[in-house]
Amino acid sequence: MKAIKFIFLVYIAFSVLYTLNYFYVVYSNTYGSDNNIKPRNSLGLNFQTSEWGNDKLSWGASDYMTEEFFLSKVFSESMQPSHVIPYYFRAIKTPKEEDITITTLITENRFHVFDRLVTNYQGPISVTIHVSDDEKSRDVLLSKLHELYNGNDYMKQYVDVHLVVDNFERQFNMWRNVAKFFARTNYVMMLDVDFHPCTDFRHSILNNEKIMKKLRTGNTALVVPAFEYADLQEGLDYRTFPTKKSDALELIDSGRLVMFHASWKPGHGPSNYSHWYGSNELYKVTTYQYQYEPYVIFPKQSIWCDERFVGYGANKAACLFELYLSGVDYWVLPNDFLIHQTHEYLEDARRHERRFNKKLYDHFREELCFRYARNFILNGEWKTDKTINLKNTCSKIRGFTQAIKYFSSLK
Ligand SMILES: *[C@@H]1O[C@H](CO)[C@@H](O)[C@H](O)[C@H]1NC(C)=O
């Protein structure tokens, strides 16, 4: 009895302290902070860091919250210290809200491929570029970037460039979030820069009222199937790539063009390529599983890629798993496709990081099942269709069903 009393008193004491601390923080943030702190300019150049690309982003708290502080909270799960510089370059054209922004990440050795993508796409692009935080390499990179940006008119018309300045390599999911967060359209396409869009999927979607209707519901992600050449030498020059499905099918028939990463079936297999060959209609992915990592168009207002995934392996799959769990279904576009442009990989780093990320991903999926289930229940959505994907996926976790029953009974 005494022990219980003691625990109770400790609990009360902590609650009081917590509340006091809370009020102190609120008070000091409102009245005590320095209004004049400007975003620190860690690059020593004259950036327009406070010019937001999206008018709707003004949050009215700027009197006592610096942009730097705000951004550090937005990307708070990433490795710190990190400095985000949105709209280092800002496209002249303002895209329509109902449009598709390609969001991508590039490093210096992919600049030339990116240049081609921009010329080829001629639509809104939001790109994150990582800049190492040491004087010498960043000066080299930035001068190359200026050269790249100013050397292509489509770049100036369509591309928003955001920088992440820090000393952490391969924070892919954080970089993805930056590119998506600052995208200025309702829909984004998460694309690896090495893929060449062979068809104009942007207009085949935007001009198709049936597909747009689906996209607007917020529970649809559109898959553009990805291919590669069996002989990697053939994948070097995009000008030789097919631009029509019928031409692609001929190459597929003769075995020259194959599903991307065919040796790793779960990665793209659920798109059911054999169905795609004969289909002229949008079709649903019915065999989703957690390693699936297609290239998709989906609503900007959806998931946030988990920033704990740093390095190779599982990072994109983790974003897409969360998208699926949140109630979004994958639908494959019947007439559009991408082809991978061959280049060298850094295999050594990949192997190590894959091992770590696999472990993280196993835990992450369980965590996500519980987090989303709890939210669905508390929001009164547990009985809606939104939870079908979650229920199918998460019921395989041992103890999940019982835990949900118990949790629902507490409510
Ligand atoms: C994939 O598509 C083929 C051809 O339409 C079909 O026969 C097969 O059942 C599909 N596979 C799955 C798993 O849906």
Side-chain angles (χ1 to χ4, degrees), residues 98-111:
E98 196 150 82
D99 203 332
I100 301 160
T101 300
I102 286 185
T103 64
T104 192
L105 328 167
I106 49 171
T107 46
E108 197 180 321
N109 63 344
R110 312 312 297 149
F111 276 10

Side-chain angles (χ1 to χ4, degrees), residues 269-279 283-287:
S271 301
N272 194 350
Y273 281 58
S274 28
H275 189 78
W276 187 82
Y277 302 150
S279 177
Y283 63 94
K284 192 172 170 178
V285 170
T286 53
T287 54

Side-chain angles (χ1 to χ4, degrees), residues 235-304:
L236 290 170
D237 186 359
Y238 73 100
R239 284 166 301 187
T240 64
F241 292 1
T243 56
K244 287 201 296 271
K245 183 176 178 177
S246 53
D247 296 338
L249 287 176
E250 268 177 37
L251 292 172
I252 290 161
D253 271 344
S254 63
R256 281 167 64 195
L257 200 61
V258 293
M259 172 175 124
F260 182 62
H261 278 179
S263 60
W264 172 240
K265 269 267 156 56
H268 294 268
S271 301
N272 194 350
Y273 281 58
S274 28
H275 189 78
W276 187 82
Y277 302 150
S279 177
N280 199 25
E281 295 278 324
L282 193 70
Y283 63 94
K284 192 172 170 178
V285 170
T286 53
T287 54
Y288 172 87
Q289 45 72 47
Y290 68 88
Q291 291 120 324
Y292 188 37
E293 47 178 20
Y295 295 96
V296 291
I297 293 121
F298 62 103
K300 173 188 146 89
Q301 308 275 356
S302 55
I303 48 115
W304 193 253

Side-chain angles (χ1 to χ4, degrees), residues 93 114 140 163 206 252 342:
K93 281 197 177 169
F114 182 64
V140 173
L163 304 184
L206 294 175
I252 290 161
T342 307

